[in-house]
Amino acid sequence: MECVVQGIIETQHVEALEILLQGLCGVHRERLRIHEICLKSGPNLGVVASEVRLLCDLEHPEPSWTVRHIGGAMRGAGAEQISVLVRTMVESKASKNVLRLFYALGYKLDHELLRVGFAFHFQRGAQITVTVSSVNKMLKLHATDEAVPVTPGIQLVEVTAPASSENYTEVVAAMTSFCEYLAPLLHLSKPGISTGVVPSAAAAAASLMSDGGGTTL
Amino acid sequence: MPLKWVMHWQPNAGTTVSGQIVTEITQCVESINGVKEGRWKATLTYYKPMLREQALAAEFPRDFLGISLPEQPNKYYFIIRGQRLVLEADSSIQTIMEKLQSYKSKVSLNFEGFQYQLGDFQLRVGKVVPSHSENLRGIVMEVEYLPISSIEKSRQIMGEFFELWQEVVSKRSLPGQFMHMEPNFAEYGLGDLYTSQHTAVQYATVMAQLIATVQAVQAVRN
């Protein structure tokens, strides 16, 4: 399982967000360049239609592949009340011919994206990962060098943490508390619920840039 | 990693494998001073597509296999022999396959037995048994040469060991012999440096041979 929230930020404020995250996390950012291929089962395959994502990490000299399956979100009154989405998620690293395997099994390309940005991984009541990335689409099949932004001037921020059915309430609490620190710059909410950009972002960013992120929280 | 050959027992025409043959092969290993080290087990699973329209089954691979190997307990291997495709993934790929509900396990076979050390060689003799029964379906043997990882460089010494081994086994006049059929690893995109993916491909090849043997026996009976 994982806990996840998302938000968006204007590209002009990303540097301020990075300074804030650097101050909050106390770790260095890692560069992010991920080619994400979303596959769907062919029309006749499977009891129900299924979807799987292949992530190719292009940041390293030798690209590495991960298979990711995102399952259903936790439901019920308890899940409604919390501001974080809790969902099943399983990942597996795989060798480089994984796309060929899924094609051979009857999966078809649905869409592909290139995420370019940075990530912070740190421990703060949970093993939290924050990614800030621009989402790009390919004009030609797999042409990652010719990708263009889906939403120019806007970047996606995603906060995730692994969880289990035993500890997810603590993970949700840790994430919620962490997200409050980012509130001056962006709103974070469950995926699919767009809250737009934050009106205070420009002022908050200006303050952060002049402060240089020196304030520790 | 050290290179290995995976071999299967080819029964003589009209005969089948038996527990007695396994016992005698084990005695052969002990007679050449193989030191028993412990048990080992590999599991091979055939998957079949879950289809809404069975008539379209021909569009999907019929020989889709998954293999777990004792040498890499946290990994899982998928093979489609018809397309010369081998994939290495984390064990969690099995959970992903279950969640996708597009393929399900048709039959699982265990390869299990004892491991022996013999100088620079490691031998594993194993019974091939379906996971939910005790019926012996075949016999396999792994010969691993610990100092070398190159398939080409080890070919001579492995060949010599195999000849010696065949001699030891032939003294018992058993109704069959071990066969080594080296797959064309290059077709699977695998190089000369041995990896667990080579082992997975060898198991898939051995399994195809065992099935062919069983089918041949059935054809004779019918």
Side-chain angles (χ1 to χ4, degrees):
Chain A
M1 284 167 86
E2 68 167 3
C3 295
V4 57
V5 285
Q6 287 179 345
I8 54 171
I9 187 167
E10 288 176 82
T11 302
Q12 56 184 325
H13 303 320
V14 164
E15 197 182 340
L17 176 62
E18 188 186 332
I19 289 169
L20 177 59
L21 287 168
Q22 177 82 60
L24 284 170
C25 314
V27 293
H28 288 290
R29 66 169 211 173
E30 288 172 20
R31 294 200 315 182
L32 189 83
R33 189 175 166 83
I34 291 178
H35 181 191
E36 182 173 321
I37 299 172
C38 180
L39 302 174
K40 288 193 172 169
S41 54
N44 186 36
L45 180 64
V47 179
V48 290
S50 57
E51 189 178 296
V52 66
R53 282 159 206 274
L54 309 183
L55 312 178
C56 181
D57 184 349
L58 300 172
E59 193 47 48
H60 304 286
E62 183 71 24
S64 63
W65 289 84
T66 301
V67 185
R68 177 183 287 172
H69 178 267
I70 295 173
M74 198 171 74
R75 284 188 246 171
E80 301 267 312
Q81 280 164 13
I82 53 177
S83 55
V84 171
L85 186 78
V86 184
R87 65 187 180 190
T88 61
M89 194 278 288
V90 188
E91 279 189 342
S92 166
K93 295 237 175 276
S95 52
K96 63 186 176 188
N97 48 3
V98 63
L99 178 60
R100 212 183 123 207
L101 178 95
F102 275 97
Y103 279 156
L105 294 180
Y107 279 79
K108 314 277 183 210
L109 177 68
D110 185 66
H111 64 272
E112 57 180 344
L113 299 168
L114 178 70
R115 293 178 192 272
V116 182
F118 57 86
F120 285 92
H121 305 279
F122 56 96
Q123 180 72 37
R124 198 185 176 96
Q127 188 56 49
I128 297 176
T129 296
V130 182
T131 60
V132 182
S133 59
S134 73
V135 180
N136 301 274
K137 60 185 172 184
M138 266 66 89
L139 301 176
K140 280 187 264 171
L141 187 68
H142 306 330
T144 50
D145 292 339
E146 299 168 43
V148 295
V150 176
T151 50
I154 297 283
Q155 303 218 2
L156 178 71
V157 181
E158 199 169 61
V159 182
T160 57
S164 68
S165 51
E166 283 81 39
N167 77 350
Y168 77 88
T169 45
E170 290 95 60
V171 175
V172 166
M175 270 180 66
T176 309
S177 137
F178 174 76
C179 291
E180 280 171 19
Y181 290 117
L182 308 183
L185 281 173
L186 79 158
H187 277 309
L188 289 156
S189 56
K190 293 177 183 178
I193 303 170
S194 173
T195 45
V197 294
V198 179
S200 63
S207 161
L208 275 160
M209 297 300 281
S210 63
D211 189 31
T215 311
T216 47
L217 295 157
Chain B
M1 65 179 295
L3 127 316
K4 71 169 77 165
W5 283 10
V6 182
M7 299 173 288
H8 69 280
W9 181 258
Q10 180 74 48
N12 290 341
T15 67
T16 52
V17 290
S18 67
Q20 178 59 29
I21 298 175
V22 179
T23 307
E24 297 220 28
I25 291 165
T26 305
Q27 287 168 358
C28 287
V29 178
E30 285 165 3
S31 75
I32 52 173
N33 298 327
V35 180
K36 202 177 207 175
E37 287 193 318
R39 297 193 75 87
W40 69 280
K41 181 178 165 186
T43 304
L44 183 148
T45 301
Y46 276 90
Y47 293 93
K48 66 173 182 183
M50 296 158 88
L51 301 175
R52 280 166 251 175
E53 183 71 58
Q54 288 301 329
L56 297 170
E59 291 175 14
F60 298 92
R62 291 166 52 87
D63 55 353
F64 177 35
L65 296 180
I67 302 179
S68 66
L69 299 170
E71 66 202 37
Q72 295 282 1
N74 299 321
K75 298 282 182 192
Y76 197 70
Y77 298 85
F78 282 132
I79 295 171
I80 303 176
R81 271 187 82 237
Q83 303 193 29
R84 300 292 186 264
L85 183 54
V86 58
L87 180 94
E88 181 181 75
D90 293 343
S91 305
S92 55
I93 194 81
Q94 294 171 85
T95 312
I96 294 177
M97 291 309 289
E98 280 167 28
K99 287 184 177 291
L100 290 176
Q101 293 185 60
S102 50
Y103 282 80
K104 67 175 175 186
S105 159
K106 187 164 63 175
V107 61
S108 276
L109 295 153
N110 293 331
F111 296 75
E112 53 189 335
F114 286 96
Q115 179 174 311
Y116 300 85
Q117 189 81 23
L118 185 68
D120 284 339
F121 291 92
Q122 198 155 54
L123 312 183
R124 293 186 188 90
V125 177
K127 296 176 179 181
V128 185
V129 180
S131 56
H132 296 298
S133 91
E134 291 293 313
N135 298 333
L136 184 66
R137 293 294 166 84
I139 302 166
V140 292
M141 186 170 164
E142 281 190 9
V143 180
E144 190 169 358
Y145 184 61
L146 302 172
I148 294 185
S149 299
S150 157
I151 295 169
E152 283 311 317
K153 285 182 186 150
S154 63
R155 197 175 294 286
Q156 191 185 341
I157 191 156
M158 291 299 281
E160 285 168 8
F161 181 88
F162 187 55
E163 262 180 47
L164 179 109
W165 169 248
Q166 295 288 57
E167 231 171 82
V168 172
V169 176
S170 67
K171 285 182 186 151
R172 301 218 168 211
S173 305
L174 297 172
Q177 59 176 331
F178 274 108
M179 303 280 283
H180 174 241
M181 306 188 86
E182 187 175 301
N184 186 340
F185 293 120
E187 286 181 351
Y188 288 86
L190 301 176
D192 180 56
L193 199 64
Y194 197 83
T195 67
S196 295
Q197 293 189 58
H198 291 77
T199 307
V201 169
Q202 290 200 70
Y203 270 98
T205 307
V206 160
M207 206 51 230
Q209 292 301 319
L210 291 177
I211 290 170
T213 307
V214 170
Q215 284 172 343
V217 170
Q218 281 171 348
V220 169
R221 281 184 189 154
N222 295 337

